[in-house]
Amino acid sequence: MADIGGDFDAASVEPQQAFDIIPDGWYEAMIIESEMKPTAKGDGERLALTFQILDPRYKGRKMWDGLNLKNPSAQAVQISLGMLSAICRAVNVLKVRDSAELHNLPLMIKIGTEKNQDNEIRNKIKGYKARDGAAHAAPAPVPAAAAAPAKAAPTKAAAGGVPWGAAAKSK
């Protein structure tokens, strides 16, 4: 039994309607909330992002994504840093200290579908781009002669996991 904090009158509140699956495609949206949360295993942290869709067909619907920025898996961190880079470029904020700097800035999110653990179809964010469809330019590459020797990517065994921004870049 759980005390819900008083008497609830269902007649005074409109019932929540079931949401239909959003069809696959690109939709205008913006980040409205973000926070660092522990990973499910408790061995790292992920940036939990809440997006609100701006597209008139699904205006107000929310979507969520999580970026593993601190994780024992260097591959998980590298993938998440790439996704964070895509978000930053899409909203034209290339240097970020706090995720709140990415809030309320329109971008396009690619919505797809997948099956969850109960074999039900659900929506998932699959990509990010700028509203104009153009990717923002990456910094110019350093000529090979001037480049420093490449560092090996951290391994799973790295003590304390891989912190945000510490994963080695490879090309």
Side-chain angles (χ1 to χ4, degrees):
M1 215 161 63
D3 181 1
I4 60 171
D7 294 330
F8 175 71
D9 180 6
S12 68
V13 178
E14 286 297 315
Q16 177 67 44
Q17 301 297 314
F19 287 119
D20 292 329
I21 294 293
I22 298 172
D24 292 3
W26 289 97
Y27 295 88
E28 186 176 11
M30 66 182 171
I31 297 170
I32 59 169
E33 295 175 3
S34 61
E35 68 176 302
M36 290 299 288
K37 291 185 172 184
T39 58
K41 290 182 180 178
D43 59 355
E45 290 183 293
R46 66 191 222 349
L47 178 60
L49 300 169
T50 302
F51 292 82
Q52 185 170 29
I53 296 177
L54 303 173
D55 188 284
R57 297 169 289 172
Y58 299 98
K59 189 172 180 129
R61 290 273 302 265
K62 293 181 182 176
M63 295 288 301
W64 294 268
D65 204 357
L67 308 179
N68 288 296
L69 299 180
K70 295 180 183 176
N71 194 287
S73 167
Q75 182 179 13
V77 172
Q78 194 63 34
I79 290 167
S80 293
L81 290 174
M83 291 168 51
L84 181 59
S85 177
I87 292 168
C88 290
R89 291 166 190 254
V91 297
N92 202 25
V93 177
L94 300 182
K95 294 192 181 213
V96 178
R97 183 171 287 282
D98 188 305
S99 60
E101 296 171 48
L102 304 173
H103 290 196
N104 304 312
L105 300 171
L107 74 158
M108 301 299 289
I109 60 174
K110 185 174 187 176
I111 296 179
T113 55
E114 68 178 12
K115 289 186 178 181
N116 66 12
Q117 64 272 13
D118 297 326
N119 213 26
E120 299 168 332
I121 295 177
R122 68 178 195 111
N123 284 123
K124 177 175 176 58
I125 297 176
K126 304 255 183 182
Y128 304 96
K129 69 179 181 180
R131 284 189 307 166
D132 60 11
H136 292 281
V142 177
K151 294 182 182 178
T155 65
K156 275 187 158 183
V162 181
W164 175 3
K169 293 181 181 179
S170 61
K171 286 201 173 197

